[in-house]
Amino acid sequence: MTKAGSVSKITTLVDKLSLRDRLNAEEIEALSAVLDAPKSVSAGSDIVREHTRPMHSTLLISGFSARYSTLEDGSRQITEINVSGDFIDLHSLLMKQMDHGVVALTDCMIAEAPHSGLIDITERHPHLGRLLWLDTIIDAAIHRQWLVAMGRRSGLGHLAHLVCELYLRLQAVGQTGDLSFDLPLTQTSLGDALGLSTVHVSRLISELRSEGVVAWAGGRIDILDWRRLAEIAEFDPTYLRLQSEPV
């Protein structure tokens, strides 16, 4: 791995962490050093299997993945969509056995960080350790918002909330245009995230289009009216912690 390649694998992670607090050169080098060489994962493949005991945590360099739980009838509930720069199972460092899986929703590039190296980071770089801790706390906040959406928001509000959330999370890692972003997910995956049938998801996308708030075609979303979209979603971005506050 060249030095340039070593840096590129953590660019989105550094972008995300730096949004919340400044990283110094030593901390960036520690992040780069703890990660193994990037590797590809095909869409539909498990990155982390349910009930396993991983000895590493995984950084999503590019693509989309999802945390999921499988029910006895084989149906799947997605509990979070992961984007570039997410440590998709950082909590496995302390959790040990996984109570859910992580699947690649698209072709992905990932890099693994051995738990032994992450423990070393917490001991040698306490500020960086706190930033990674904050990352897991934000994951928990995302899960709370998904729970509220699943239980209390309308289907339209739930979908609008997901679009708002993904736009801001992707914006934080430089993966958006001017109120636009790529979301190359199937309606089946969106249905698993929303707890709805693909037919219902298709109707909701059509409704957002007819409201004039988004143009959504071919895996590309253009937000035409952010204010109205956020109003439909009752969206409050506080839980994403997008401001700089030293930790």
Side-chain angles (χ1 to χ4, degrees), residues 9-24:
K9 70 184 176 184
I10 63 166
T11 298
T12 50
L13 175 60
V14 170
D15 286 345
K16 183 174 69 167
L17 296 180
S18 298
L19 187 67
R20 290 154 184 145
D21 197 4
R22 182 178 178 274
L23 290 172
N24 61 39

Side-chain angles (χ1 to χ4, degrees), residues 91-124:
H91 50 286
S92 69
L93 173 63
L94 298 176
M95 189 175 183
K96 308 303 182 186
Q97 186 175 19
M98 296 291 287
D99 64 350
H100 60 279
V102 181
V103 64
L105 296 179
T106 65
D107 291 341
C108 294
M109 289 295 297
I110 64 170
E112 296 171 351
H115 285 168
S116 58
L118 291 171
I119 290 171
D120 188 63
I121 280 180
T122 66
E123 294 172 348
R124 291 174 174 268

Side-chain angles (χ1 to χ4, degrees), residues 219-232:
R220 182 76 174 177
I221 299 177
D222 295 291
I223 300 173
L224 307 177
D225 188 339
W226 173 266
R227 184 197 63 78
R228 178 58 183 148
L229 182 67
E231 184 179 79
I232 293 170

Side-chain angles (χ1 to χ4, degrees), residues 37 120 135 141 153 178 200-201 219:
D120 188 63
D135 205 41
R153 289 194 173 96
D178 184 14
H200 198 170
V201 170

Side-chain angles (χ1 to χ4, degrees), residues 46-89:
D46 271 342
I47 300 174
V48 183
R49 289 187 293 112
E50 292 178 280
H51 308 304
T52 56
R53 291 177 173 269
M55 299 302 293
H56 59 262
S57 293
T58 304
L59 174 69
L60 181 62
I61 299 172
S62 65
F64 290 86
S65 66
R67 296 179 185 171
Y68 72 91
S69 293
T70 306
L71 303 181
E72 287 188 5
D73 64 1
S75 60
R76 179 180 71 177
Q77 178 63 53
I78 288 175
T79 57
E80 184 180 348
I81 293 174
N82 309 117
V83 304
S84 301
D86 284 352
F87 252 122
I88 58 179
D89 61 341

